[in-house]
Amino acid sequence: MAHILSAFFFIATFQTLSVLHGVYSHGDAHKCRSYCGNLTVDYPFAIQPGCGHSGYRDLLFCINDVLMLHISSGSYRVLDIDYAYESLTLDDPHMSTCSSIVFGHHGNGFVVERWREPYLNPTADNVFMLLGCTAESPLFQGFPGKHLPCRNVSGMGCEEYYGCPGWDILGPKKVGVVYGSGPPDCCAVSFEAIKAINLTKLSCQGYSSAYSLAPLRVDGPHGWSYGIRVKYSVEGDDSFCKVCEATGGSCGYDVNDFSSLCMCGSWNSTSNCDSVHSASHRRTWSLMDALTGLVGCIAIWKLSATLGQ
């Protein structure tokens, strides 16, 4: 009987120590890091619910090893995430380039949800060239003397873009900074100027987008980088996440109220993984279970010692 109790004692002790280790061990600082194809998805982004910053929730999806970004205007393929410069490079397959001019309202444009605007916007050196817009377009309303809002952005604009071979099959082009017989076929604007690239509301047939890789300068639109370069940021002070990661945690958020959480292995904290008082309810119950098991082990050990005498 004493041998059986001794064996049970060692098993119970091992299980109790395992629970205690789980309670007091820190989390994995890279728990929320993911990989999709050749891209690394890390804070403030994530593809798992509850990971990353709440401002980027339900934004990125990994589909057949292709990272996709989804906002209200549509879905875009993510070509690159530059964590040093806090930017993403996106591709819209229905967007015009130098070799292919696409009309017919097929492009996504770029419109983000109102609540996501503080976190995600095209960079200042990204030019949007709106194509085939009607005279009734909001672009051309309210400008005295029919002067257009069209202008170059970071040295890129429609005058150069008209030299692309994609225009050859479309015939003569309407150009100029003023118009009398109708608006030009291309109007270049910055995102900051109009706040949203909505082809339907702007009454445009299509669009192209290119961004500058300064200080690299290219000769002509055939060498432009076509795509949408988006700047991302975390509003306010991001010290919470830095402290969380410094104590071995992963930055996340509560999926119910979107408040910040520090993920510390088997438990979550509202501050960091070194904090006891801010631990979640789950940690409190794990600690109680561990202490109860430890008391049981001591009782079994004493009983075993008594029977062995």
Side-chain angles (χ1 to χ4, degrees), residues 158-212:
C158 291
E159 290 186 8
E160 287 185 291
Y161 190 58
Y162 283 137
C164 285
W167 288 99
D168 293 345
I169 62 173
L170 298 178
K173 298 171 286 295
K174 290 179 287 183
V175 300
V177 294
V178 296
Y179 68 91
S181 60
D185 287 329
C186 174
C187 179
V189 296
S190 66
F191 187 82
E192 182 64 24
I194 57 176
K195 303 299 184 182
I197 308 298
N198 187 318
L199 298 183
T200 300
K201 290 185 177 181
L202 293 172
S203 300
C204 299
Q205 288 286 319
Y207 83 107
S208 182
S209 175
Y211 55 91
S212 172

Side-chain angles (χ1 to χ4, degrees), residues 73 92-96 101-109 199-200 204-207:
S73 56
D92 177 0
H94 302 296
M95 181 186 74
S96 295
I101 307 299
V102 182
F103 279 21
H105 304 286
H106 294 305
N108 290 334
L199 298 183
T200 300
C204 299
Q205 288 286 319
Y207 83 107

Side-chain angles (χ1 to χ4, degrees), residues 118-302:
Y119 305 102
L120 206 65
N121 278 295
T123 58
D125 59 2
N126 195 112
V127 60
F128 287 93
M129 290 167 286
L130 300 168
L131 310 177
C133 305
T134 67
E136 292 74 28
S137 170
L139 281 172
F140 311 131
Q141 305 306 310
F143 288 90
K146 297 294 185 179
H147 286 269
L148 305 181
C150 316
R151 55 182 49 85
N152 286 1
V153 178
S154 293
M156 299 175 290
C158 291
E159 290 186 8
E160 287 185 291
Y161 190 58
Y162 283 137
C164 285
W167 288 99
D168 293 345
I169 62 173
L170 298 178
K173 298 171 286 295
K174 290 179 287 183
V175 300
V177 294
V178 296
Y179 68 91
S181 60
D185 287 329
C186 174
C187 179
V189 296
S190 66
F191 187 82
E192 182 64 24
I194 57 176
K195 303 299 184 182
I197 308 298
N198 187 318
L199 298 183
T200 300
K201 290 185 177 181
L202 293 172
S203 300
C204 299
Q205 288 286 319
Y207 83 107
S208 182
S209 175
Y211 55 91
S212 172
L213 291 176
L216 178 66
R217 307 299 296 178
V218 296
D219 184 21
H222 61 279
W224 291 351
S225 297
Y226 289 91
I228 304 174
R229 193 79 178 270
V230 178
K231 181 74 174 177
Y232 69 83
S233 61
V234 176
E235 259 196 328
D237 184 12
D238 198 31
S239 59
F240 175 89
C241 184
K242 294 177 181 177
V243 173
C244 172
E245 291 183 339
T247 57
S250 291
C251 304
Y253 61 91
D254 189 304
V255 296
N256 295 314
D257 61 14
F258 308 124
S259 60
S260 297
L261 287 179
C262 187
M263 307 170 77
C264 307
S266 61
W267 55 280
N268 297 332
S269 169
T270 55
S271 57
N272 59 74
C273 295
D274 282 344
S275 173
V276 175
H277 300 293
S278 65
S280 68
H281 184 65
R282 179 177 180 179
R283 176 178 182 177
T284 303
W285 277 104
S286 297
L287 180 58
M288 290 176 63
D289 292 341
L291 292 176
T292 301
L294 184 59
V295 171
C297 289
I298 294 173
I300 294 171
W301 175 75
K302 287 187 175 181

